[in-house]
Structure formats: C-alpha cells, structure tokens
Amino acid sequence: WYQRRVRGELGSIKPGYSVIAVNRQPVSGTMGPTDKSIMDMINDPESYPLSLTFGKGKVGANEKLMLASMFHSLYAIASKISPIDGSSGIQQLVTDEFSLNCFQTITGVKFFVIVDHKQTACEPLLHRIYELYTDFVLKNPFYLIDMPIRCDLFDQNLKRVIEQVERASAYSSATLA
C-alpha cells in the first residue's frame, strides 16, 4: 500500500483540515456526535462502519482577533516601509490559495475579506460592507467603538450581501466555462 504525500497532504486530506463530521453528524472539538471522543470512536471496532468528513474547521472569536491583530501589524509595517510617501499600506495580498483584500476607512477602521484567488472585484464588496457597518453598527446606540460587532441586522445584511456575491461569482464562472 502506497500513499503519495504532497506538502503534508495525505490523500485528499490537506494540511489544516480536521474531522468536522462523523457519520454526517457535526462534531465539537475532539468530541463526536455521541459525546464520545473521535479517537475512541476510531479505535472501537463496534463504531464501524464509520464515515469521517474532513474540512477546515470554523474560525473562533480568538482566532479572528489574532488574525486581525496580525494583519494590522503587517499593514502598519507595510505603510511605514513603503517607498511611496503617504502609502495606505496593504490593499491586496495574493497567495496560491487565496487573496486577502483590505479597505481602510478615513477613520482608520479596516475591513478585509479573504476570497478565492480567482475572485475579482473585491473593492465593491468591501465598500458595501462599509456601508452596512455605517448603517447598522455605527447607528446602533448599544455599540461601543473598538468592540466586537454584535448586531443581528448587520449580520443578516452581511450574509445577504455575501450570498449575492457568491451567486454572481458562480454565475459568471458558469458562463465563462
């Protein structure tokens, strides 16, 4: 039996992937759907047949804050070392897997989206997110500046905008194929 490994991959399981479902039931951390650890389920012959689904796990609040603070630091460094006077820092960061696009408002608030590298025209999306932020977050009397956004109307409208972008992207790629 021979398994080809490419940059840490094992078959179709890519680096950074973890078990997200057992027998089509979502898991929570290392616990399976039956409150039994996933490793115990794998090691127990009575658990078979067993269907494991691998994927990228959900990003928690701490990971989001860590990513935002890391990006803020990189953004500040890039604006300081830029050879162009008055540089606004990083606007787009492109990798083989994704593209990170950033929009900084006049007040210094940064919005960034991480999209598939084939996705184009992220600037209108970032401006639309900024509009939602001003309409539903800043006008909310209970929101405190520099605190995590917890506003249902903002979340609902943001989800709607992202769904529209995904539908438009799927439509444009289908028409190009």
Side-chain angles (χ1 to χ4, degrees):
W1 183 73
Y2 173 74
Q3 184 70 41
R4 188 179 136 209
R5 291 179 186 239
V6 180
R7 284 185 281 151
E9 290 183 17
L10 178 64
S12 63
I13 304 168
K14 298 181 179 173
Y17 278 36
S18 61
V19 177
I20 58 172
V22 174
N23 295 335
R24 298 186 183 189
Q25 298 293 316
V27 299
S28 175
T30 60
M31 300 305 287
T34 60
D35 291 330
K36 189 175 180 182
S37 97
I38 297 169
M39 290 305 294
D40 289 344
M41 293 176 76
I42 291 171
N43 291 327
D44 183 7
E46 292 187 17
S47 298
Y48 288 88
L50 195 61
S51 170
L52 301 176
T53 305
F54 292 87
K56 295 233 179 210
K58 291 189 177 183
V59 178
N62 287 339
E63 288 86 5
K64 289 177 185 176
L65 286 172
M66 191 170 70
L67 178 62
S69 62
M70 251 190 320
F71 181 75
H72 175 73
S73 300
L74 290 172
Y75 191 95
I77 291 168
S79 62
K80 294 284 185 202
I81 65 172
S82 173
I84 301 169
D85 288 336
S87 172
S88 62
I90 301 170
Q91 293 179 343
Q92 186 177 38
L93 182 72
V94 180
T95 71
D96 290 342
E97 299 289 322
F98 65 88
S99 172
L100 186 146
N101 298 271
C102 180
F103 169 67
Q104 181 173 346
T105 67
I106 296 170
T107 58
V109 176
K110 292 176 195 67
F111 294 93
F112 62 95
V113 293
I114 300 172
V115 296
D116 184 84
H117 64 80
K118 297 171 200 149
Q119 179 74 31
T120 58
C122 286
E123 187 121 355
L125 172 62
L126 287 164
H127 285 276
R128 183 68 183 120
I129 293 171
Y130 178 52
E131 288 175 21
L132 294 175
Y133 174 75
T134 58
D135 287 345
F136 296 106
V137 178
L138 292 180
K139 294 177 184 175
N140 181 346
F142 302 107
Y143 174 69
L144 300 172
I145 300 291
D146 293 332
M147 293 302 292
I149 298 170
R150 298 196 194 316
C151 178
D152 290 337
L153 283 174
F154 174 75
D155 291 343
Q156 292 166 3
N157 284 284
L158 179 61
K159 186 176 182 179
R160 189 174 308 128
V161 166
I162 291 171
E163 287 171 353
Q164 289 171 350
V165 168
E166 287 175 343
R167 266 185 269 139
S169 176
Y171 175 74
S172 65
S173 64
T175 57
L176 294 174

